[in-house]
């Protein structure tokens, strides 16, 4: 994705292509209903508003909303600007001609939600024209900036307002793609005449492009077609089963350009991201980013167990592997945040921040789903106060994670929850009924699974199968992934038996069974091993640079 570079416009041209009245209506509605910023049919940017009061008010509204504030008035704006932007506070409240207090109060009072779409469209259309001018595109077929007659200017303006946003975008012969990426909102609708695009679909199937990036579980890759964009995977489990590590492992496998291979005894090019094109985002609520998340990432990339790293129980070779893993991560685009009171708008703001940096964000991990105060406020605002019960809030979260994160931003989303009290009952099936919070949380997920240690009861049930497939020097399975929901293939209500080393997330799948522990023959899908790289060539320089930092 390309960053949109806008060169500054002459102020007179900017004002000629700006409607202050519509800007005031939009700002007033945003103060009353800031959740409008989250709706995918609206796209608003700081540069949509004139430098000065309008710009600072919009920036403040967005900042407050990203922090979880759902009702915005004079006290909130005044307090935010006072703390975050002394220059903005001076401009809005202490510059007499701007009359900031009156501006805020009157626009909140005059704003009508039923008129928001009309004024939003005017803001959007003028922003398109300003961007077109900044890209040296001719806009005279819509507005002639050389025109000086007031009546002609008014006629052109009325004609422009009567045009749809799509009509304006399509009227440009060049640069349209950049403008569309920025200004054309999505209503979530897709269309295909069945039977069309047959060749493209078959080509993708033949080339194996129906698979997304491949994770470490060969069986799960096969039954879910890999880690695909626009998928929401809820992978839950009890404490200590490795939920956070699992999410980090998937993000890292999607994003790092190189990774350690036990088979090659060397670092290799990561087949998922050989050109270091993709980025990923991790949002945690509990783990320390510095001491926990970082060292888990070092262990996954280097293949050296986390406990060895933290206790400095390393050979010289292992230490150099860790150094090179750190070097890989430094040159990757994996962004980690910790925010216990996250909201949907907070998550969206992080995604949009990295998209606007020109990154191709492939996946995001939210560790883990819980009913935060900020999300509760968002749900109330979104539903005009009708969403109150826990099950309704969890259904809202499920809908937002799928539709407003995975689908809207074209991402693979991995998240998890804790389990409820049923998890301790050996007679209870490990399905959606064990999800802590509400059964409704799994409503919108594409893949729902529960990670759990292998029990003695399960070990007895699979003893014969294990004797058939397990080699004499293979480890015993220690984890079962119970896949209770799978929208992407027919493999639902199945169990994956595997061994996982939680120290470095190296995984060995054994077999797949149905819900009754009957074997399902299946070929695993794993990444092809690439050639080893000469990672030791500059390792001493890399080690020195890391130690100096």
């Amino acid at each position: 994705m390309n960053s949109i570079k806008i060169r500054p416009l002459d102020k007179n041209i900017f004002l000629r292509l700006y409607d202050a009245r519509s800007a005031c209506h939009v700002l007033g509605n945003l103060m009353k209903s800031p959740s409008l910023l989250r709706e995918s049919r609206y796209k608003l940017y700081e540069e949509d508003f004139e430098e000065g009061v309008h710009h600072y008010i919009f920036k403040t509204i967005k900042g407050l909303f990203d922090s979880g504030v759902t009702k915005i008035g004079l006290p909130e704006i005044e307090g935010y600007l006072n703390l975050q932007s002394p220059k903005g506070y001076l401009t809005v409240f202490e510059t007499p001609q701007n009359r900031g207090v009156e501006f805020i109060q009157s626009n909140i009072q005059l704003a009508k939600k039923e008129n928001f779409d009309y004024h939003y469209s005017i803001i959007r259309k003028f922003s398109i024209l300003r961007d077109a001018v900044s890209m040296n595109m001719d806009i005279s077929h819509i507005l002639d900036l050389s025109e000086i007659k007031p009546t002609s200017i008014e006629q052109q303006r009325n004609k422009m307002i009567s045009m749809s946003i799509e009509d304006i975008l399509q009227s440009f012969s060049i640069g349209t793609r950049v403008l569309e990426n920025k200004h054309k909102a999505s209503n979530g609708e897709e269309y295909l005449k069945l039977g069309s695009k047959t060749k493209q679909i078959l080509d993708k199937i033949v080339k194996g492009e129906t698979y997304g990036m491949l994770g470490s579980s060969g069986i799960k890759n096969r039954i879910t077609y890999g880690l695909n964009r626009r998928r929401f995977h809820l992978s839950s489990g009890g404490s200590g089963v490795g939920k956070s590590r699992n999410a980090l492992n998937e993000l890292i496998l999607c994003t790092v350009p190189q990774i350690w291979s036990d088979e090659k005894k060397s670092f290799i090019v990561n087949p998922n991201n050989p050109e270091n094109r993709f980025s990923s985002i991790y949002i945690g609520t509990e783990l320390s980013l510095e001491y926990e998340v970082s060292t888990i990432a070092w262990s996954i990339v280097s293949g050296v167990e986390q406990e060895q790293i933290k206790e400095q129980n390393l050979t010289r070779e292992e230490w150099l592997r860790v150094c090179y893993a750190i070097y890989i991560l430094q040159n990757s685009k994996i962004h980690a945040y910790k925010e216990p009171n996250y909201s949907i708008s907070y998550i969206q703001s992080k995604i949009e921040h990295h998209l606007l940096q020109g990154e191709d964000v492939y996946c995001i991990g939210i560790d883990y789903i819980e009913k935060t105060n900020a999300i509760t406020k968002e749900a109330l605002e979104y539903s005009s106060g009708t969403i109150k019960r826990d099950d309704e809030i969890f259904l809202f979260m499920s809908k937002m994670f799928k539709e407003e994160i995975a689908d809207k931003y074209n991402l693979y989303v991995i998240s998890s929850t804790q389990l409820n009290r049923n998890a301790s009952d050996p007679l209870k099936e490990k399905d959606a009924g064990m999800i802590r919070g509400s059964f409704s949380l799994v409503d919108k997920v594409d893949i729902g699974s529960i990670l759990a240690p292998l029990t003695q009861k399960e070990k007895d049930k699979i003893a014969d199968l294990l004797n058939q497939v397990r080699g004499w020097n293979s480890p015993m399975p220690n984890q079962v992934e119970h896949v209770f929901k799978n929208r992407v293939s027919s493999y639902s209500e199945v169990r994956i038996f595997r061994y996982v080393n939680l120290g470095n997330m190296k995984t060995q799948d054994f077999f797949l069974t149905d819900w009754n522990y009957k074997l399902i023959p299946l070929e695993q899908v794993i990444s092809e091993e690439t050639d080893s790289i000469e990672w030791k060539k500059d390792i001493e320089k890399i080690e020195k640079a890391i130690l100096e930092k």
Side-chain angles (χ1 to χ4, degrees):
M1 177 176 176
N2 294 323
S3 295
I4 299 169
K5 303 297 184 183
I6 304 298
R7 64 176 173 82
L9 293 180
D10 175 85
K11 187 171 183 180
N12 290 329
I13 295 178
F14 185 100
L15 293 176
R16 180 81 178 270
L17 300 174
Y18 188 70
D19 190 303
R21 178 171 169 270
S22 288
C24 288
H25 277 274
V26 167
L27 290 171
N29 272 293
L30 291 177
M31 286 185 273
K32 292 172 77 170
S33 300
S35 62
L36 289 167
L37 289 169
R38 187 180 58 238
E39 296 193 23
S40 58
R41 57 195 171 124
Y42 303 125
K43 285 192 171 186
L44 287 166
Y45 306 91
E46 290 180 24
E47 60 264 29
D48 290 334
F49 299 91
E50 180 190 3
E51 287 292 335
V53 175
H54 292 189
H55 176 87
Y56 282 117
I57 294 296
F58 175 76
K59 190 173 181 180
T60 299
I61 293 169
K62 191 171 188 309
L64 288 166
F65 182 61
D66 288 346
S67 300
V69 179
T70 56
K71 287 291 183 181
I72 297 172
L74 178 61
E76 290 79 16
I77 292 174
E78 192 169 14
Y80 183 91
L81 285 174
N82 187 44
L83 289 173
Q84 302 293 334
S85 177
K87 183 180 178 182
Y89 185 90
L90 182 67
T91 301
V92 176
F93 294 109
E94 295 188 2
T95 305
Q97 64 267 31
N98 289 337
R99 296 182 296 179
V101 172
E102 181 183 339
F103 177 88
I104 293 166
Q105 292 175 334
S106 63
N107 283 312
I108 290 174
Q109 185 178 358
L110 294 173
K112 294 182 179 179
K113 193 170 184 178
E114 59 267 27
N115 296 332
F116 180 80
D117 283 0
Y118 170 76
H119 291 292
Y120 164 79
S121 71
I122 293 177
I123 288 286
R124 190 80 278 116
K125 292 168 189 175
F126 274 120
S127 288
I128 293 169
L129 296 182
R130 291 197 303 273
D131 282 356
V133 171
S134 76
M135 295 165 63
N136 296 315
M137 297 168 69
D138 182 14
I139 68 166
S140 60
H141 60 292
I142 299 174
L143 286 181
D144 186 354
L145 295 176
S146 66
E147 183 60 68
I148 59 173
K149 292 182 181 179
T151 53
S152 297
I153 292 173
E154 186 66 20
Q155 287 173 356
Q156 290 181 8
R157 186 181 184 280
N158 290 338
K159 180 182 177 182
M160 185 272 292
I161 290 174
S162 70
M163 295 174 71
S164 69
I165 290 173
E166 287 74 16
D167 288 341
I168 293 174
L169 289 170
Q170 291 173 10
S171 71
F172 296 100
S173 59
I174 59 172
T176 306
R177 180 64 176 166
V178 176
L179 292 174
E180 283 187 348
N181 282 342
K182 182 178 180 184
H183 296 284
K184 189 173 181 180
S186 169
N187 60 7
E189 180 183 68
E190 296 181 24
Y191 171 76
L192 175 72
K193 183 180 182 299
L194 297 186
S196 63
K197 295 188 176 181
T198 303
K199 187 177 185 304
Q200 296 96 310
I201 295 169
L202 288 174
D203 283 347
K204 284 190 174 182
I205 292 173
V206 170
K207 294 176 182 177
E209 293 177 4
T210 49
Y211 282 84
M213 295 189 182
L214 298 180
S216 57
S217 169
I219 292 177
K220 190 159 73 173
N221 288 335
R222 173 63 183 83
I223 68 174
T224 65
Y225 295 100
L227 314 177
N228 259 305
R229 290 183 185 268
R230 303 185 73 177
R231 296 268 170 81
F232 173 25
H233 183 183
L234 183 68
S235 180
S236 302
S239 297
V241 78
K243 298 186 299 297
S244 301
R245 294 167 188 269
N246 182 58
L248 282 165
N249 186 47
E250 293 196 342
L251 298 187
I252 287 168
L253 289 176
C254 286
T255 315
V256 294
Q258 299 170 359
I259 196 162
W260 178 261
S261 165
D262 279 341
E263 183 178 325
K264 293 289 181 68
K265 303 296 181 187
S266 175
F267 286 94
I268 61 171
V269 173
N270 180 7
N272 281 334
N273 192 23
E275 298 176 357
N276 202 18
R277 170 185 166 190
F278 301 106
S279 68
S280 60
I281 300 169
Y282 169 85
I283 296 176
T285 60
E286 293 181 346
L287 295 183
S288 161
L289 297 184
E290 292 83 4
Y291 192 63
E292 294 292 336
V293 173
S294 291
T295 54
I296 291 172
W298 298 354
S299 68
I300 293 170
V301 179
S302 70
V304 179
E305 294 191 25
Q306 184 195 21
E307 188 172 325
Q308 288 180 260
I309 296 171
K310 291 168 74 172
E311 295 183 1
Q312 298 183 8
N313 182 22
L314 304 169
T315 64
R316 174 65 178 168
E317 177 82 2
E318 288 168 337
W319 163 244
L320 293 179
R321 280 165 54 183
V322 172
C323 288
Y324 195 75
I326 293 170
Y327 171 74
I328 292 170
L329 288 163
Q330 288 173 342
N331 290 281
S332 302
K333 291 170 286 205
I334 306 177
H335 310 286
Y337 299 91
K338 182 178 180 180
E339 176 49 77
N341 190 35
Y342 66 80
S343 61
I344 302 301
S345 59
Y346 171 85
I347 296 170
Q348 290 177 321
S349 72
K350 298 306 175 189
I351 297 168
E352 290 178 2
H353 169 75
H354 292 291
L355 289 174
L356 289 171
Q357 299 301 310
E359 295 181 16
D360 188 347
V361 183
Y362 189 90
C363 51
I364 183 169
I366 298 104
D367 181 28
Y368 47 87
I369 290 182
E370 53 187 330
K371 191 185 75 171
T372 66
N373 291 333
I375 282 181
T376 301
K377 289 180 181 179
E378 272 187 335
L380 287 168
E381 174 71 17
Y382 177 85
S383 65
S384 300
T386 60
I387 293 179
K388 295 179 180 178
R389 301 195 315 267
D390 281 1
D391 64 313
E392 294 172 328
I393 293 171
F394 281 112
L395 179 59
F396 164 79
M397 293 171 69
S398 180
K399 175 183 172 67
M400 292 295 106
F401 273 58
K402 171 59 178 171
E403 297 177 4
E404 295 297 322
I405 298 177
D407 289 348
K408 179 177 179 179
Y409 297 105
N410 194 30
L411 303 180
Y412 172 72
V413 177
I414 174 72
S415 191
S416 60
T417 64
Q418 294 279 4
L419 302 182
N420 58 32
R421 67 186 68 177
N422 289 333
S424 60
D425 186 344
L427 299 179
K428 292 287 185 180
E429 187 55 87
K430 292 181 174 62
D431 57 17
M434 275 194 181
I435 302 298
R436 179 186 289 183
S438 170
F439 185 85
S440 62
L441 186 57
V442 307
D443 185 71
K444 294 290 184 179
V445 305
D446 296 298
I447 303 155
S449 64
I450 290 176
L451 299 172
L454 179 72
T455 65
Q456 185 58 50
K457 179 182 176 182
E458 288 170 330
K459 189 175 178 181
D460 294 340
K461 285 180 177 290
I462 64 166
D464 290 340
L465 292 177
L466 205 54
N467 289 333
Q468 294 174 35
V469 302
R470 180 171 168 254
W472 68 271
N473 62 341
S474 296
M476 280 291 295
N478 62 355
Q479 186 186 86
V480 186
E481 183 162 7
H482 307 265
V483 183
F484 59 82
K485 182 175 182 180
N486 184 2
R487 280 180 170 172
V488 303
S489 79
S490 61
Y491 294 99
S492 188
E493 295 192 345
V494 294
R495 310 181 203 272
I496 304 171
F497 290 83
R498 65 166 67 101
Y499 170 79
V500 182
N501 181 346
L502 293 179
N504 59 15
M505 293 308 293
K506 296 300 180 184
T507 300
Q508 180 181 344
D509 284 354
F510 286 92
F511 47 78
L512 181 75
T513 75
D514 65 13
W515 231 223
N516 296 314
Y517 300 92
K518 182 179 178 181
L519 179 68
I520 300 175
L522 182 116
E523 186 176 347
Q524 297 189 32
V525 175
I526 58 176
S527 296
E528 291 185 4
E529 290 272 317
T530 57
D531 291 333
S532 302
I533 61 172
E534 296 182 14
W535 66 278
K536 292 184 179 180
K537 184 178 179 181
D538 296 312
I539 191 61
E540 291 185 0
K541 292 180 181 178
I542 292 170
E543 178 189 24
K544 183 178 179 182
I546 288 170
L547 292 174
E548 286 177 349
K549 288 182 179 181

